[in-house]
Amino acid sequence: MPLSSFDFQQARVKQVLFKSRLRSVLYGVREAEPALFSLTENPLGQWIQTVLKPQAAGQPAVRELEHVLQRMLSTGQDLATRYQRGHLEEARAGLDQVNAYSDQIEGLLTDLERAA
């Protein structure tokens, strides 16, 4: 069954969920759980594996999407570590980089959606 716009909307929601959880960590609302930064446990990473790859694994944008997501997760983990070490403002300022990765992911999702 081909991917629908609903499938891509789910991916976008999963990305927003990660950013929201990371923001909660950097503002002291929740603890940074290791699963938050794991590609295999991240909801968008799981969506890529279970929904996107079975339909579009051969497309270069799929590999690029995984790479950008991994960079976003690694950056988020680094920011959480900075926060835990007391570098609050530095950690929060790093959200700009996470947003830049998020924009890249959005562009890749849009490209993949158009190709579907």
Side-chain angles (χ1 to χ4, degrees):
M1 185 166 144
L3 294 170
S4 68
S5 60
F6 178 73
D7 291 316
F8 287 97
Q9 190 60 35
Q10 283 182 318
R12 289 177 177 98
V13 168
K14 292 173 189 310
Q15 177 184 218
V16 170
L17 179 64
F18 168 77
K19 289 180 5 178
S20 175
R21 286 180 177 167
L22 177 61
R23 199 170 286 113
S24 294
V25 167
L26 299 182
Y27 283 88
V29 176
R30 70 180 322 156
E31 292 293 316
E33 302 164 6
L36 181 61
F37 308 110
S38 166
L39 185 61
T40 58
E41 294 182 55
N42 174 274
L44 182 55
Q46 291 173 342
W47 179 86
I48 291 169
Q49 291 301 315
T50 61
V51 177
L52 184 61
K53 277 190 168 182
Q55 297 290 325
Q59 293 188 35
V62 174
R63 286 188 300 282
E64 182 63 18
L65 180 61
E66 270 189 310
H67 290 293
V68 175
L69 176 58
Q70 183 59 63
R71 288 193 298 264
M72 184 170 78
L73 295 175
S74 295
T75 299
Q77 188 169 30
D78 178 57
L79 297 178
T81 300
R82 289 179 195 192
Y83 176 83
Q84 290 168 341
R85 291 181 180 160
H87 304 283
L88 309 181
E89 294 306 314
E90 182 182 320
R92 292 173 186 158
L95 284 171
D96 288 342
Q97 182 61 50
V98 171
N99 287 329
Y101 288 132
S102 179
D103 291 344
Q104 287 180 319
I105 288 171
E106 174 60 34
L108 290 164
L109 287 171
T110 299
D111 292 347
L112 286 162
E113 185 175 13
R114 287 181 183 147

